[in-house]
Amino acid sequence: MTATTNPPATPQPPQTALERERKFDFPLDLPIPDLRARGPIAGQSDPLEERLDATYYDTPRYDLARAGVTLRRRTGGGDEGWHLKLPVGKDAREEITLPLGDSEAPTAEVPRELAELVRGHTRGEDLIAIAGLRTVRYSVELADADGRVLATLTDDHVTGEAAGTVARLDQWRELEVELSADAQDGTLDTVADLVVEAGAVPSEWPSKLRRLIGDLLPADTRKAPGKKATAGEVVLHYLRTQVDALHRHDAGVRRDIEDSVHQMRVAMRRLRSALGAFRRVLDRDAVQPLRDELKWLGGELGPVRDNEVLHAGLAGQAAGLPRRLTIGPVAVYLDTYFEQRARRAQAHALTALNSTRYLNLLRALDSLLDDPPLTKKAKRPARTELRQAVLRADRRLRRAVAALEGAEDRGTALHEVRKKAKQARYTADALRPVAGKKLNAWRKRVKAVQSTLGDHHDSVVARAELVPLAVAADRDGHSSFSYGVLHGRNELEAERLDAEFRRKWAQVAGGATPGWLR
């Protein structure tokens, strides 16, 4: 099994599907369960036999397996091809497939499209063949009384070989229940119960690959910190959670999946905020370069998110205009205008994600977690030491609100309050494992302020964008009247949200101090 390189991209577009399934261990001497006339199942087809041969790819450190990602090349069966499986929730994974090349050898190279989608996990490391599985599969379809297929039950007899310093071979039998695309989620629980009644035991492994190589993976010693945790343990747990989120949403950004950029930027902002807020626990000089690089990456991805928010907001407002105030093809023009910007912003974001600078940032985050620059105060109890970070965040927020009086540009000053509220909320979020009800109540009030000011900022940005939009529409021969109407409505909305902010801030200012963690 040798290292792979990435050939030129194949011309076929990837296909995607949501896979909802559960796996079970099953005794070797029992026949495949007959589930007819059980629960919603009225019919069960005769078994279809297939012989499957799959090669699995990962980095030498098993970065994909550790993240719950599977990348394989399979021959045989009805779904022959390259398969990339990304976890999206309990019992669900998104499967991305590409067909095999016309002249692929068993040691074929990973297609560039798939290699790039897992770049956030591999950090640019080579993908190598780490294991091979041969499966004799017997599949039956489970149908309801109307003949609709609810799920497929597969009986897999597996032989696996893992690569490494010493090759190892393993054999086992497992059952797998996979829901049909249009089946209700609850059907999976129902069929799973029937399979257990037939003698199966829920598998402790999320995939065949993890079962084969589970003991080859580095031990995961991570645990959520308890009430008596040290400050260092709480901070590192929070940082690790955000780094995991950054990796997880990387593939979604590359595929232009809705909300992926937003979620990735949230993870980056939380990381950057924590590295600054917990400076008594983390060496400031050591983490400042990371904060700078996270700010750079956020800026590179920002135009994608800004364009999404503007497009959705203005399109919704335009749809709500009375017909008498809608002059010209407003909705179509907005879609065209923002879709053109979206393509440019997405290309810019992909350039950043494919850069050496981004890979270096990912590696630096790994180093931060592997060898954290903790100070002596990191050994103190979190409930006392980290309280200082919350109090400091509260003071900064209050100073930003005080600066509103006499501010030349209230919109800019309110945006500064929003940023300070967001930082305060993120600081409180990090303390959740050791925090009590008082801090959580304060956090909710601060979040309400932040959300209101977020809507206010959107109205400010919308007004700024509506001016060039009106000019562009006029230049293209359309009336600019409706854009002026939207501008006026956003101005009124900003005034309403400013008043709402005052009410919600009064609840924060008049509430209990956030410092107590009991």
Side-chain angles (χ1 to χ4, degrees):
M1 297 183 178
T2 57
T4 64
T5 57
N6 301 323
T10 56
Q12 301 93 333
Q15 303 297 313
T16 64
L18 183 64
E19 183 181 73
R20 297 173 293 167
E21 64 182 20
R22 276 186 209 164
K23 299 179 183 295
F24 305 85
D25 295 333
F26 200 60
L28 292 172
D29 58 343
L30 293 182
I32 188 169
D34 187 346
L35 303 181
R36 285 174 289 191
R38 304 287 305 280
I41 302 170
Q44 180 168 317
S45 67
D46 293 332
L48 171 66
E49 180 179 345
E50 296 177 312
R51 294 182 179 270
L52 314 174
D53 195 342
T55 302
Y56 290 78
Y57 295 83
D58 207 332
T59 66
R61 300 185 310 169
Y62 300 104
D63 288 303
L64 299 187
R66 293 163 69 179
V69 176
T70 300
L71 175 59
R72 74 183 178 208
R73 177 189 182 276
R74 174 189 277 175
T75 58
D79 61 348
E80 187 174 74
W82 287 93
H83 302 172
L84 172 63
K85 297 187 179 185
L86 304 169
V88 295
K90 184 178 183 296
D91 300 325
R93 294 193 292 176
E94 185 176 22
E95 184 173 22
I96 304 168
T97 61
L98 279 172
L100 298 177
D102 294 335
S103 59
E104 285 194 7
T107 56
E109 297 161 332
V110 177
R112 186 179 298 277
E113 298 95 323
L114 301 186
E116 288 185 350
L117 287 180
V118 297
R119 191 177 174 90
H121 294 293
T122 65
R123 288 79 154 169
E125 294 289 326
D126 285 337
L127 288 164
I128 63 173
I130 60 162
L133 291 177
R134 289 184 175 85
T135 303
V136 179
R137 167 170 290 179
Y138 302 93
S139 304
V140 297
E141 292 184 338
L142 308 176
D144 64 13
D146 296 324
R148 292 189 297 265
V149 176
L150 300 174
T152 300
L153 174 65
T154 60
D155 178 11
D156 289 344
H157 299 254
V158 187
T159 301
E161 180 181 2
T165 54
V166 178
R168 50 187 298 248
L169 196 67
D170 199 1
Q171 294 180 314
W172 69 92
R173 183 189 186 191
E174 72 176 32
L175 298 183
E176 180 179 289
V177 176
E178 182 175 351
L179 283 190
S180 298
D182 57 350
Q184 298 295 320
D185 287 337
T187 304
L188 185 57
D189 291 329
T190 302
V191 178
D193 290 342
L194 296 176
V195 171
V196 170
E197 290 175 9
V201 177
S203 176
E204 63 177 296
W205 304 106
S207 67
K208 292 181 176 66
L209 177 64
R210 284 295 297 270
R211 179 171 189 152
L212 179 63
I213 68 168
D215 58 351
L216 300 177
L217 298 179
D220 188 354
T221 58
R222 297 180 295 180
K223 317 187 278 189
K227 293 289 186 182
K228 296 182 179 180
T230 66
E233 289 170 340
V234 170
V235 170
L236 288 177
H237 173 74
Y238 183 75
L239 293 175
R240 188 173 288 110
T241 300
Q242 304 314 316
V243 170
D244 288 346
L246 189 153
H247 292 157
R248 186 168 62 252
H249 293 295
D250 177 286
V253 174
R254 294 176 187 276
R255 297 171 56 215
D256 200 15
I257 301 298
E258 184 178 2
D259 204 43
S260 292
V261 167
H262 172 56
Q263 294 301 329
M264 190 172 181
R265 292 186 75 222
V266 168
M268 290 185 288
R269 284 197 299 265
R270 287 178 178 271
L271 279 169
R272 188 165 179 266
S273 176
L275 293 174
F278 301 116
R279 60 191 184 193
R280 288 164 57 101
V281 175
L282 298 164
D283 183 89
R284 188 185 310 184
D285 293 337
V287 300
Q288 185 58 45
L290 269 175
R291 297 191 71 217
D292 294 340
E293 289 303 282
L294 287 165
K295 182 178 181 180
W296 160 78
L297 183 59
E300 296 299 292
L301 271 57
V304 177
R305 175 60 179 170
D306 295 343
N307 194 69
E308 287 176 351
V309 173
L310 267 172
H311 188 185
L314 290 178
Q317 292 175 31
L321 283 178
R323 182 171 296 181
R324 61 187 176 81
L325 298 180
T326 306
I327 311 300
V330 179
V332 173
Y333 193 79
L334 284 172
D335 287 344
T336 301
Y337 181 87
F338 285 109
E339 284 168 5
Q340 290 175 347
R341 295 204 336 179
R343 287 192 291 270
R344 293 193 297 269
Q346 178 68 10
H348 186 80
L350 290 179
T351 298
L353 293 187
N354 289 325
S355 68
T356 301
R357 186 173 180 177
Y358 174 60
L359 291 181
N360 288 338
L361 170 58
L362 294 181
R363 292 165 185 154
L365 289 171
D366 288 343
S367 298
L368 172 73
L369 297 177
D370 292 340
D371 186 19
L374 298 175
T375 66
K376 292 181 180 180
K377 294 178 181 179
K379 296 181 180 180
R380 294 180 178 178
R383 288 172 63 85
T384 54
E385 174 57 38
L386 298 184
R387 175 186 175 203
Q388 302 302 320
V390 180
L391 290 172
R392 187 165 56 250
D394 180 60
R395 287 195 298 270
R396 288 179 173 179
L397 174 57
R398 292 174 185 274
R399 284 198 296 266
V401 173
L404 290 173
E405 296 300 326
E408 293 184 8
D409 184 344
R410 185 169 176 83
T412 299
L414 284 172
H415 185 48
E416 189 63 28
V417 173
R418 177 201 178 199
K419 290 193 291 184
K420 292 297 186 290
K422 187 179 295 185
Q423 291 167 6
R425 172 194 158 201
Y426 289 165
T427 303
D429 283 345
L431 272 64
R432 278 186 167 181
V434 296
K437 293 182 180 179
K438 285 188 177 181
L439 182 63
N440 287 330
W442 176 80
R443 173 195 168 277
K444 289 179 181 179
R445 292 193 294 270
V446 171
K447 183 179 180 181
V449 168
Q450 174 204 323
S451 297
T452 298
L453 291 181
D455 292 339
H456 181 276
H457 183 65
D458 289 345
S459 72
V460 173
V461 174
R463 277 181 283 157
E465 190 62 41
L466 280 164
V467 174
L469 247 173
V471 172
D474 183 72
R475 184 183 60 240
D476 291 338
H478 305 301
S479 171
S480 61
F481 173 80
S482 297
Y483 306 103
V485 173
L486 292 176
H487 189 284
R489 290 191 167 197
N490 274 280
E491 190 167 13
L492 291 174
E493 178 66 1
E495 293 175 1
R496 185 191 70 79
L497 289 167
D498 195 337
E500 183 177 326
F501 153 72
R502 296 173 192 269
R503 291 192 298 271
K504 290 185 175 179
W505 173 250
Q507 296 174 359
V508 175
T513 173
W516 299 104
L517 304 181
R518 64 173 182 264

